[in-house]
Coordinates of all heavy atoms in Angstrom, one line a residue:
G1 N -9.9 -1.1 4.0 CA -8.5 -1.1 4.3 C -7.9 -2.5 4.0 O -8.6 -3.5 3.7
P2 N -6.6 -2.6 4.2 CA -6.0 -3.9 4.0 C -6.4 -4.9 5.0 O -6.7 -4.6 6.1 CB -4.5 -3.6 4.1 CG -4.4 -2.3 4.9 CD -5.7 -1.6 4.6
S3 N -6.3 -6.2 4.6 CA -6.7 -7.3 5.6 C -5.5 -7.5 6.6 O -4.4 -7.1 6.4 CB -7.0 -8.5 4.8 OG -5.8 -9.0 4.1
L4 N -5.8 -8.3 7.6 CA -4.8 -8.6 8.6 C -3.8 -9.6 7.9 O -4.3 -10.5 7.2 CB -5.5 -9.3 9.8 CG -6.4 -8.5 10.6 CD1 -7.2 -9.4 11.6 CD2 -5.6 -7.5 11.4
P5 N -2.6 -9.4 8.2 CA -1.6 -10.4 7.6 C -1.7 -11.7 8.2 O -2.2 -11.9 9.4 CB -0.2 -9.7 7.9 CG -0.5 -8.8 9.0 CD -1.9 -8.4 8.9
R6 N -1.3 -12.7 7.5 CA -1.3 -14.1 8.0 C 0.0 -14.4 8.7 O 1.0 -14.0 8.3 CB -1.5 -15.1 6.8 CG -2.7 -14.9 6.0 CD -2.8 -15.8 4.9 NE -2.8 -17.2 5.3 CZ -3.7 -18.1 5.0 NH1 -4.6 -17.7 4.1 NH2 -3.6 -19.3 5.4
R7 N -0.1 -15.2 9.8 CA 1.1 -15.6 10.5 C 1.8 -16.7 9.8 O 3.0 -17.0 10.2 CB 0.8 -15.9 12.0 CG 0.0 -17.2 12.1 CD -0.2 -17.5 13.6 NE -0.9 -18.7 13.7 CZ -1.6 -19.1 14.8 NH1 -1.6 -18.3 15.8 NH2 -2.2 -20.2 14.8
D8 N 1.2 -17.4 8.9 CA 1.8 -18.5 8.3 C 2.5 -18.2 6.9 O 2.9 -19.2 6.2 CB 0.8 -19.7 8.1 CG -0.4 -19.3 7.3 OD1 -0.6 -18.1 7.0 OD2 -1.1 -20.2 6.9
R9 N 2.7 -17.0 6.6 CA 3.3 -16.6 5.4 C 4.6 -15.9 5.7 O 4.6 -14.7 6.2 CB 2.4 -15.7 4.6 CG 1.1 -16.3 4.2 CD 1.1 -16.7 2.7 NE 0.0 -17.6 2.4 CZ -1.1 -17.1 1.9 NH1 -1.4 -15.9 1.7 NH2 -2.1 -18.0 1.5
P10 N 5.8 -16.5 5.4 CA 7.1 -15.9 5.7 C 7.2 -14.5 5.1 O 7.9 -13.6 5.7 CB 8.1 -16.8 5.1 CG 7.4 -18.1 4.9 CD 5.9 -17.8 4.7
E11 N 6.7 -14.2 3.9 CA 6.9 -12.9 3.2 C 6.2 -11.8 4.0 O 6.5 -10.6 3.7 CB 6.4 -13.0 1.8 CG 4.9 -13.2 1.6 CD 4.4 -14.6 1.5 OE1 5.2 -15.5 1.9 OE2 3.3 -14.8 1.1
V12 N 5.2 -12.1 4.9 CA 4.6 -11.0 5.6 C 4.8 -11.1 7.1 O 4.1 -10.5 7.9 CB 3.1 -10.9 5.3 CG1 2.9 -10.5 3.9 CG2 2.4 -12.2 5.6
R13 N 5.8 -12.0 7.5 CA 6.0 -12.3 9.0 C 6.3 -11.0 9.8 O 5.7 -10.8 10.8 CB 7.1 -13.2 9.1 CG 7.5 -13.6 10.6 CD 6.4 -14.4 11.2 NE 6.8 -14.7 12.6 CZ 6.0 -15.1 13.5 NH1 4.8 -15.4 13.2 NH2 6.4 -15.3 14.7
E14 N 7.2 -10.1 9.3 CA 7.5 -8.9 10.0 C 6.3 -8.0 10.1 O 6.0 -7.4 11.2 CB 8.6 -8.2 9.3 CG 10.0 -8.8 9.5 CD 10.5 -8.9 10.9 OE1 10.6 -7.8 11.6 OE2 10.8 -10.0 11.4
R15 N 5.5 -7.9 9.1 CA 4.3 -7.1 9.1 C 3.3 -7.7 10.1 O 2.7 -6.9 10.9 CB 3.7 -7.1 7.7 CG 2.5 -6.1 7.6 CD 2.1 -6.0 6.1 NE 0.7 -5.6 6.1 CZ -0.2 -6.3 5.5 NH1 0.1 -7.3 4.8 NH2 -1.5 -5.9 5.5
Y16 N 3.1 -9.0 10.1 CA 2.2 -9.6 11.1 C 2.7 -9.3 12.5 O 1.9 -8.9 13.4 CB 2.2 -11.1 10.9 CG 1.5 -11.9 11.9 CD1 0.1 -12.0 12.0 CD2 2.2 -12.5 13.0 CE1 -0.5 -12.7 13.0 CE2 1.6 -13.2 14.0 CZ 0.2 -13.3 14.0 OH -0.5 -13.9 15.0
C17 N 4.0 -9.5 12.8 CA 4.5 -9.3 14.1 C 4.3 -7.8 14.6 O 3.9 -7.6 15.7 CB 6.0 -9.7 14.2 SG 6.3 -11.4 14.0
R18 N 4.6 -6.9 13.7 CA 4.4 -5.5 14.0 C 3.0 -5.2 14.3 O 2.7 -4.5 15.3 CB 4.9 -4.6 12.8 CG 4.8 -3.1 13.1 CD 5.2 -2.3 11.9 NE 4.2 -2.4 10.9 CZ 4.5 -2.6 9.6 NH1 5.8 -2.7 9.2 NH2 3.6 -2.8 8.7
L19 N 2.0 -5.7 13.5 CA 0.6 -5.4 13.8 C 0.1 -6.0 15.1 O -0.6 -5.3 15.8 CB -0.2 -5.9 12.6 CG -1.7 -5.6 12.7 CD1 -2.0 -4.1 12.8 CD2 -2.5 -6.2 11.6
M20 N 0.5 -7.2 15.4 CA 0.1 -7.8 16.6 C 0.6 -7.0 17.8 O -0.1 -6.8 18.8 CB 0.5 -9.3 16.7 CG -0.1 -10.2 15.7 SD -1.9 -10.2 15.8 CE -2.4 -9.5 14.3
L21 N 1.9 -6.6 17.7 CA 2.4 -5.8 18.8 C 1.6 -4.5 19.0 O 1.3 -4.0 20.1 CB 3.9 -5.5 18.6 CG 4.8 -6.8 18.7 CD1 6.2 -6.4 18.2 CD2 4.9 -7.3 20.1
M22 N 1.3 -3.9 17.8 CA 0.6 -2.6 17.9 C -0.8 -2.8 18.5 O -1.3 -1.9 19.2 CB 0.4 -2.1 16.4 CG 1.7 -1.5 15.8 SD 1.5 -1.2 14.1 CE 0.4 0.2 14.1
L23 N -1.4 -3.9 18.3 CA -2.8 -4.2 18.8 C -2.8 -4.5 20.3 O -3.7 -4.2 21.0 CB -3.4 -5.3 18.0 CG -3.8 -5.0 16.6 CD1 -4.3 -6.3 15.9 CD2 -4.9 -4.0 16.6
F24 N -1.7 -5.2 20.8 CA -1.8 -5.7 22.1 C -0.8 -5.1 23.1 O -0.8 -5.5 24.3 CB -1.5 -7.2 22.1 CG -2.6 -8.0 21.3 CD1 -2.4 -8.5 20.1 CD2 -3.9 -8.1 21.9 CE1 -3.4 -9.2 19.4 CE2 -4.9 -8.8 21.2 CZ -4.6 -9.3 20.0
I25 N 0.0 -4.2 22.7 CA 0.9 -3.5 23.7 C 0.7 -2.0 23.6 O 0.6 -1.4 22.6 CB 2.4 -3.8 23.3 CG1 2.8 -5.2 23.4 CG2 3.3 -2.9 24.2 CD1 4.2 -5.6 23.0
P26 N 0.5 -1.4 24.8 CA 0.3 0.1 24.8 C 1.6 0.8 24.3 O 2.7 0.4 24.7 CB 0.1 0.4 26.3 CG -0.3 -0.9 26.9 CD 0.4 -2.0 26.1
W27 N 1.4 1.8 23.4 CA 2.6 2.5 22.9 C 2.2 3.9 22.5 O 1.0 4.2 22.2 CB 3.1 1.7 21.7 CG 2.2 1.5 20.6 CD1 1.1 0.7 20.5 CD2 2.2 2.3 19.3 NE1 0.5 0.8 19.3 CE2 1.1 1.8 18.6 CE3 3.0 3.3 18.8 CZ2 0.8 2.3 17.3 CZ3 2.7 3.8 17.6 CH2 1.6 3.3 16.8
S28 N 3.2 4.7 22.4 CA 3.0 6.1 21.9 C 3.9 6.4 20.7 O 3.6 7.3 19.9 CB 3.1 7.1 23.0 OG 4.4 7.1 23.5
K29 N 5.0 5.7 20.6 CA 5.9 5.8 19.4 C 6.4 4.4 19.0 O 6.5 3.5 19.9 CB 7.0 6.8 19.6 CG 7.9 6.5 20.8 CD 8.8 7.7 21.0 CE 9.8 7.5 22.1 NZ 9.4 7.3 23.4
P30 N 6.7 4.1 17.8 CA 7.1 2.8 17.4 C 8.2 2.2 18.2 O 8.3 1.0 18.5 CB 7.5 3.0 15.9 CG 6.7 4.1 15.4 CD 6.6 5.1 16.6
G31 N 9.2 3.0 18.6 CA 10.3 2.5 19.5 C 9.8 1.8 20.7 O 10.5 1.0 21.3
D32 N 8.7 2.3 21.3 CA 8.1 1.7 22.5 C 7.8 0.2 22.2 O 8.0 -0.6 23.1 CB 6.8 2.4 22.9 CG 7.0 3.8 23.3 OD1 8.1 4.2 23.6 OD2 6.0 4.5 23.3
L33 N 7.4 -0.1 21.0 CA 7.0 -1.5 20.7 C 8.2 -2.4 20.6 O 8.2 -3.6 21.0 CB 6.2 -1.6 19.4 CG 4.8 -0.9 19.5 CD1 4.2 -0.8 18.1 CD2 3.9 -1.7 20.4
L34 N 9.3 -1.9 20.0 CA 10.5 -2.8 19.8 C 11.2 -3.0 21.1 O 11.9 -4.1 21.2 CB 11.4 -2.1 18.8 CG 11.1 -2.3 17.3 CD1 12.0 -1.5 16.4 CD2 11.1 -3.7 16.9
D35 N 11.2 -2.1 22.0 CA 11.8 -2.4 23.3 C 13.2 -2.9 23.3 O 13.6 -3.9 23.9 CB 10.9 -3.3 24.1 CG 11.2 -3.3 25.6 OD1 11.7 -2.3 26.1 OD2 11.0 -4.4 26.3
G36 N 14.0 -2.3 22.4 CA 15.4 -2.7 22.3 C 15.7 -3.8 21.3 O 16.9 -4.2 21.1
C37 N 14.7 -4.4 20.8 CA 14.9 -5.6 19.8 C 15.3 -5.0 18.4 O 15.0 -3.9 18.1 CB 13.7 -6.4 19.7 SG 13.3 -7.3 21.3
V38 N 15.9 -5.8 17.6 CA 16.3 -5.4 16.3 C 15.3 -5.7 15.2 O 15.4 -5.2 14.1 CB 17.7 -6.0 15.9 CG1 18.8 -5.5 16.8 CG2 17.6 -7.5 15.9
S39 N 14.3 -6.5 15.5 CA 13.3 -6.8 14.5 C 11.9 -7.0 15.2 O 11.9 -7.3 16.4 CB 13.6 -8.1 13.7 OG 13.5 -9.2 14.5
W40 N 10.9 -6.9 14.4 CA 9.5 -7.1 14.9 C 9.3 -8.5 15.3 O 8.7 -8.8 16.3 CB 8.5 -6.6 13.9 CG 8.6 -5.2 13.6 CD1 9.0 -4.6 12.4 CD2 8.2 -4.1 14.4 NE1 8.9 -3.3 12.5 CE2 8.4 -2.9 13.7 CE3 7.7 -4.0 15.7 CZ2 8.2 -1.7 14.2 CZ3 7.4 -2.8 16.2 CH2 7.7 -1.6 15.5
S41 N 9.9 -9.4 14.5 CA 9.7 -10.9 14.9 C 10.4 -11.2 16.2 O 9.9 -12.0 16.9 CB 10.1 -11.8 13.7 OG 11.4 -11.5 13.3
E42 N 11.6 -10.7 16.4 CA 12.3 -10.9 17.7 C 11.4 -10.4 18.8 O 11.3 -11.1 19.8 CB 13.6 -10.2 17.6 CG 14.4 -10.4 18.9 CD 15.7 -9.5 19.0 OE1 16.0 -8.8 18.0 OE2 16.3 -9.5 20.0
R43 N 10.9 -9.2 18.7 CA 10.1 -8.7 19.8 C 8.8 -9.4 20.0 O 8.4 -9.7 21.1 CB 9.8 -7.2 19.5 CG 8.9 -6.5 20.6 CD 9.6 -6.5 21.9 NE 8.8 -5.8 22.9 CZ 8.2 -6.5 23.9 NH1 8.4 -7.8 24.2 NH2 7.4 -5.8 24.8
F44 N 8.2 -9.9 18.9 CA 7.0 -10.6 19.0 C 7.2 -12.0 19.7 O 6.4 -12.4 20.5 CB 6.4 -10.9 17.6 CG 5.1 -11.6 17.6 CD1 3.9 -11.0 18.1 CD2 5.0 -12.9 17.2 CE1 2.7 -11.7 18.1 CE2 3.8 -13.6 17.2 CZ 2.7 -13.0 17.6
S45 N 8.3 -12.6 19.4 CA 8.7 -13.9 20.1 C 8.8 -13.7 21.6 O 8.4 -14.6 22.3 CB 10.0 -14.4 19.5 OG 9.9 -14.8 18.2
Q46 N 9.4 -12.6 22.0 CA 9.5 -12.3 23.4 C 8.1 -12.1 24.0 O 7.8 -12.5 25.1 CB 10.3 -11.0 23.7 CG 11.8 -11.2 23.4 CD 12.5 -9.9 23.6 OE1 12.0 -8.8 23.8 NE2 13.9 -10.0 23.5
F47 N 7.3 -11.3 23.3 CA 5.9 -10.9 23.7 C 5.1 -12.2 24.0 O 4.4 -12.3 25.0 CB 5.3 -10.0 22.7 CG 3.8 -9.7 23.0 CD1 3.5 -9.0 24.1 CD2 2.9 -10.2 22.2 CE1 2.1 -8.7 24.4 CE2 1.5 -9.9 22.4 CZ 1.2 -9.2 23.5
V48 N 5.0 -13.1 23.0 CA 4.1 -14.3 23.2 C 4.5 -15.1 24.3 O 3.6 -15.9 24.8 CB 4.0 -15.1 21.9 CG1 3.4 -14.3 20.8 CG2 5.3 -15.7 21.5
K49 N 5.7 -15.1 24.8 CA 6.1 -15.9 26.0 C 5.5 -15.3 27.3 O 5.3 -16.1 28.3 CB 7.6 -15.9 26.1 CG 8.3 -16.7 25.0 CD 9.8 -16.6 25.2 CE 10.5 -17.2 24.0 NZ 11.9 -17.0 24.0
V50 N 5.1 -14.0 27.3 CA 4.6 -13.4 28.6 C 3.2 -12.8 28.4 O 2.7 -12.3 29.4 CB 5.6 -12.3 29.0 CG1 7.0 -13.0 29.4 CG2 5.8 -11.2 28.0
C51 N 2.7 -12.8 27.3 CA 1.4 -12.2 27.1 C 0.2 -13.0 27.7 O 0.4 -14.2 28.0 CB 1.1 -11.8 25.6 SG 0.6 -13.2 24.6
S52 N -0.9 -12.4 27.8 CA -2.1 -13.0 28.3 C -2.6 -14.1 27.5 O -2.5 -14.0 26.2 CB -3.2 -11.9 28.4 OG -4.4 -12.5 28.4
P53 N -3.0 -15.2 28.0 CA -3.6 -16.3 27.2 C -4.8 -15.8 26.4 O -5.0 -16.3 25.3 CB -4.1 -17.3 28.3 CG -3.3 -17.0 29.5 CD -3.0 -15.6 29.5
R54 N -5.5 -14.8 26.9 CA -6.6 -14.2 26.1 C -6.1 -13.6 24.8 O -6.7 -13.7 23.7 CB -7.3 -13.1 26.9 CG -8.3 -12.4 26.2 CD -9.6 -13.2 26.2 NE -10.6 -12.4 25.5 CZ -11.6 -12.9 24.7 NH1 -11.6 -14.2 24.6 NH2 -12.5 -12.2 24.2
Y55 N -4.9 -12.9 24.8 CA -4.3 -12.3 23.6 C -3.9 -13.4 22.6 O -4.2 -13.3 21.4 CB -3.1 -11.5 23.9 CG -3.3 -10.2 24.7 CD1 -2.3 -9.5 25.2 CD2 -4.6 -9.7 24.9 CE1 -2.5 -8.3 25.8 CE2 -4.8 -8.5 25.6 CZ -3.8 -7.8 26.0 OH -4.0 -6.6 26.7
L56 N -3.4 -14.5 23.2 CA -3.0 -15.7 22.3 C -4.3 -16.2 21.6 O -4.2 -16.6 20.4 CB -2.3 -16.7 23.1 CG -0.9 -16.3 23.6 CD1 -0.4 -17.4 24.6 CD2 0.1 -16.0 22.5
Y57 N -5.3 -16.3 22.4 CA -6.6 -16.8 21.8 C -7.1 -15.9 20.7 O -7.5 -16.4 19.7 CB -7.6 -16.9 23.0 CG -9.0 -17.4 22.6 CD1 -9.2 -18.7 22.3 CD2 -10.0 -16.5 22.4 CE1 -10.5 -19.2 22.0 CE2 -11.3 -16.9 22.1 CZ -11.5 -18.2 21.9 OH -12.8 -18.7 21.5
V58 N -7.1 -14.6 20.9 CA -7.5 -13.7 19.9 C -6.6 -13.8 18.6 O -7.2 -13.8 17.5 CB -7.5 -12.2 20.4 CG1 -7.8 -11.2 19.3 CG2 -8.6 -12.1 21.5
M59 N -5.3 -13.9 18.8 CA -4.4 -14.0 17.6 C -4.7 -15.3 16.9 O -4.7 -15.4 15.7 CB -3.0 -14.0 18.1 CG -2.6 -12.6 18.5 SD -0.8 -12.5 18.9 CE -0.9 -12.7 20.6
K60 N -5.0 -16.4 17.6 CA -5.3 -17.7 17.0 C -6.6 -17.6 16.2 O -6.7 -18.1 15.1 CB -5.5 -18.8 18.1 CG -5.9 -20.1 17.5 CD -6.1 -21.1 18.7 CE -6.7 -22.4 18.2 NZ -7.1 -23.3 19.2
N61 N -7.6 -16.9 16.7 CA -8.8 -16.7 16.0 C -8.6 -15.8 14.7 O -9.3 -16.1 13.7 CB -9.9 -16.1 16.9 CG -10.5 -17.1 17.8 OD1 -10.4 -18.3 17.5 ND2 -11.1 -16.6 18.9
M62 N -7.7 -14.9 14.7 CA -7.4 -14.1 13.5 C -6.9 -15.0 12.4 O -7.3 -14.9 11.3 CB -6.4 -13.0 13.8 CG -6.9 -11.9 14.7 SD -5.6 -10.8 15.0 CE -6.4 -9.6 16.1
Q63 N -6.1 -16.0 12.8 CA -5.5 -16.9 11.8 C -6.6 -17.9 11.3 O -6.6 -18.2 10.2 CB -4.3 -17.7 12.4 CG -3.7 -18.6 11.5 CD -3.0 -17.9 10.3 OE1 -2.6 -16.7 10.4 NE2 -2.8 -18.6 9.2
I64 N -7.5 -18.3 12.2 CA -8.5 -19.2 11.8 C -9.4 -18.6 10.8 O -9.9 -19.2 9.8 CB -9.3 -19.7 13.0 CG1 -8.5 -20.6 13.9 CG2 -10.7 -20.3 12.6 CD1 -9.1 -21.0 15.2
L65 N -9.6 -17.3 10.9 CA -10.4 -16.6 9.8 C -9.8 -16.8 8.5 O -10.5 -17.1 7.5 CB -10.5 -15.1 10.2 CG -11.2 -14.2 9.2 CD1 -12.7 -14.5 9.1 CD2 -11.0 -12.7 9.6
H66 N -8.5 -16.6 8.4 CA -7.8 -16.9 7.1 C -8.0 -18.3 6.6 O -8.2 -18.6 5.4 CB -6.3 -16.6 7.2 CG -5.9 -15.2 7.3 ND1 -6.2 -14.2 6.4 CD2 -5.3 -14.5 8.3 CE1 -5.8 -13.0 6.8 NE2 -5.3 -13.2 7.9
E67 N -7.8 -19.2 7.5 CA -8.0 -20.7 7.2 C -9.4 -21.0 6.7 O -9.6 -21.8 5.8 CB -7.5 -21.5 8.3 CG -6.0 -21.4 8.6 CD -5.6 -22.0 10.0 OE1 -6.5 -22.6 10.6 OE2 -4.5 -21.8 10.3
C68 N -10.4 -20.4 7.3 CA -11.8 -20.6 6.9 C -12.0 -20.1 5.5 O -12.6 -20.7 4.7 CB -12.7 -20.0 7.9 SG -12.9 -20.8 9.4
R69 N -11.4 -18.9 5.2 CA -11.5 -18.4 3.8 C -10.8 -19.3 2.8 O -11.3 -19.4 1.7 CB -11.0 -17.0 3.8 CG -11.8 -16.0 4.5 CD -11.2 -14.6 4.4 NE -12.1 -13.6 5.1 CZ -11.7 -12.5 5.7 NH1 -10.4 -12.1 5.6 NH2 -12.5 -11.7 6.3
D70 N -9.7 -19.8 3.2 CA -9.0 -20.8 2.3 C -9.8 -22.0 2.0 O -10.0 -22.4 0.8 CB -7.7 -21.2 2.9 CG -6.6 -20.2 3.0 OD1 -6.8 -19.1 2.3 OD2 -5.6 -20.4 3.7
S71 N -10.5 -22.5 3.0 CA -11.3 -23.7 2.8 C -12.5 -23.4 2.0 O -12.9 -24.2 1.1 CB -11.8 -24.2 4.2 OG -10.7 -24.8 4.9
R72 N -13.1 -22.2 2.2 CA -14.2 -21.8 1.4 C -13.9 -21.7 -0.1 O -14.6 -22.1 -1.0 CB -14.7 -20.4 1.9 CG -15.9 -19.8 1.1 CD -16.1 -18.4 1.3 NE -14.9 -17.6 0.8 CZ -14.7 -16.4 1.1 NH1 -15.4 -15.7 1.9 NH2 -13.6 -15.8 0.6
D73 N -12.6 -21.2 -0.4 CA -12.2 -21.0 -1.7 C -11.7 -22.2 -2.5 O -11.5 -22.2 -3.7 CB -11.1 -19.9 -1.8 CG -11.7 -18.5 -1.3 OD1 -12.9 -18.3 -1.4 OD2 -10.8 -17.7 -0.9
D74 N -11.5 -23.3 -1.7 CA -11.0 -24.6 -2.3 C -12.1 -25.3 -3.1 O -13.2 -25.2 -3.0 CB -10.4 -25.5 -1.3 CG -9.1 -25.0 -0.8 OD1 -8.4 -24.2 -1.5 OD2 -8.6 -25.5 0.2

């Protein structure tokens, strides 16, 4: 399947935010995730202010995986 989107690429920011919300917030339909927000990035910004430090740690490690691959390929 497709790889996890990178958080440091503006062209996939909305996709990244949507996926992180899907992974870390219980939901049954997409509207549950947006919780009244107009964009995935807006909702994600709200989420990271209140989410568990453990979730932030996992998201950071997902990004480190991309950075390690970048270093390997240089």
Side-chain angles (χ1 to χ4, degrees):
S3 64
L4 294 169
R6 298 176 64 124
R7 70 177 178 201
D8 60 346
R9 299 256 168 94
E11 66 272 13
V12 295
R13 177 72 181 165
E14 288 296 304
R15 187 172 153 236
Y16 170 81
C17 293
R18 183 183 68 224
L19 181 60
M20 294 302 113
L21 293 168
M22 289 170 67
L23 290 172
F24 296 108
I25 296 178
W27 61 284
S28 59
K29 56 186 186 296
D32 296 342
L33 293 171
L34 279 175
D35 195 31
C37 294
V38 296
S39 70
W40 296 110
S41 57
E42 177 188 358
R43 178 63 179 113
F44 183 71
S45 293
Q46 290 177 351
F47 171 70
V48 296
K49 292 176 186 174
V50 297
C51 75
S52 156
R54 176 79 177 145
Y55 291 172
L56 294 172
Y57 178 77
V58 170
M59 287 185 266
K60 178 183 172 189
N61 281 340
M62 289 177 185
Q63 183 65 23
I64 289 172
L65 176 64
H66 289 298
E67 294 167 5
C68 288
R69 287 180 181 155
D70 289 347
S71 292
R72 177 195 67 195
D73 295 340
D74 285 342

